Amino acid sequence: MNSALIIIDMQNDFCTGGALAVKDGEKIIKCINNAQKEFETIILTQDWHPQEHSSFASNHGAEPYTNIEMEYGSQILWPDHCVQGSTGANFHRDLNTNKSDLILRKGSNPKIDSYSAFFENDKNTTTGLEGYLIKKDIKQLYLCGLAFDYCVFYSALDGVELGFEVFVFQDLTKAIDLNNSKKIAKKSMIEKGIKLINFI
């Protein structure tokens, strides 16, 4: 009763054939659907970027995966992805979305990227998720989805920082693994007291 499953960014652009595909991203969907049977509260997050988003390399005439300094700090420049209303922004067709209590769209401010389900990357602008969870008396968060070393990682860090007990289903997520980011994320989560578990 006091736990919620948060399914992070299971969208076409992060799956095979997508603009920012995570290797084998869609292969975790069947198990994510099974995991939903164990939870009463289910939240889906959805990257929802305007075409002019500042995190897109194309808007800087730069190569994808290079870094740029923003007002809020260093920012990786990504290929255009999850553009509002596009097929790439849609949830993968195999994902069961019928049980979700909330669909939380993030990254819609063109000036700030948003990895975490709780805060945009300036760490000040909130998504409203914390208040929603508090109102439902949720104490424990179980995270899965894409990608382990970015949106799942930052959502987990913010969740534990806000006082929730956070678990990450390692077998229900996949990593981009850019510049050893998977190993770095895993180490950091363990140090912060986030529990890395398996669903199967």
Side-chain angles (χ1 to χ4, degrees):
M1 290 293 291
N2 296 112
S3 62
L5 178 67
I6 303 179
I7 303 170
I8 307 286
D9 299 357
M10 285 306 310
Q11 295 164 261
N12 290 326
D13 268 346
F14 296 127
C15 296
T16 298
L20 186 45
V22 181
K23 183 175 170 53
D24 296 332
E26 68 283 353
K27 291 188 176 179
I28 60 176
I29 294 175
K30 184 177 179 181
C31 289
I32 287 176
N33 289 340
N34 288 335
Q36 292 188 57
K37 299 170 187 175
E38 308 297 324
F39 293 87
E40 289 189 14
T41 299
I42 297 167
I43 294 154
L44 306 178
T45 72
Q46 186 177 24
D47 252 13
W48 197 249
H49 298 309
Q51 185 64 65
E52 69 275 15
H53 201 272
S54 61
S55 74
F56 291 171
S58 63
N59 290 325
H60 299 271
E63 287 295 315
Y65 309 110
T66 54
N67 282 67
I68 192 171
E69 283 300 314
M70 301 285 198
E71 287 183 14
Y72 52 84
S74 182
Q75 170 69 50
I76 297 171
L77 295 178
W78 303 104
D80 295 18
H81 66 279
C82 298
V83 174
Q84 296 171 359
S86 68
T87 301
N90 292 342
F91 291 116
H92 192 282
R93 66 181 180 275
D94 294 339
L95 181 70
N96 179 6
T97 60
N98 295 331
K99 289 189 68 182
S100 62
D101 299 80
L102 174 70
I103 295 174
L104 188 150
R105 287 175 167 170
K106 58 189 180 67
S108 57
N109 182 336
K111 295 182 178 179
I112 311 173
D113 206 2
S114 188
Y115 298 153
S116 170
F118 291 96
F119 294 96
E120 293 185 347
N121 287 6
D122 63 357
K123 297 301 179 188
N124 290 314
T125 308
T126 67
T127 64
L129 179 58
E130 180 191 10
Y132 179 84
L133 294 170
I134 289 171
K135 195 164 186 179
K136 290 180 72 76
D137 199 31
I138 299 295
K139 308 291 187 187
Q140 296 179 326
L141 308 179
Y142 290 79
L143 273 58
C144 62
L146 301 173
F148 174 81
D149 42 348
Y150 284 93
C151 295
V152 173
F153 172 50
Y154 286 101
S155 297
L157 288 185
D158 285 342
V160 82
E161 192 74 26
L162 291 168
F164 297 97
E165 188 176 9
V166 179
F167 301 81
V168 173
F169 286 125
Q170 294 181 98
D171 54 344
L172 304 187
T173 183
K174 296 286 185 180
I176 294 174
D177 207 12
L178 187 65
N179 300 322
N180 212 26
S181 54
K182 180 179 179 180
K183 184 178 179 180
I184 293 166
K186 188 171 184 176
K187 183 174 183 286
S188 182
M189 282 193 268
I190 291 168
E191 287 172 352
K192 294 289 185 180
I194 294 159
K195 298 170 182 68
L196 302 178
I197 60 173
N198 289 316
F199 177 71
I200 299 171

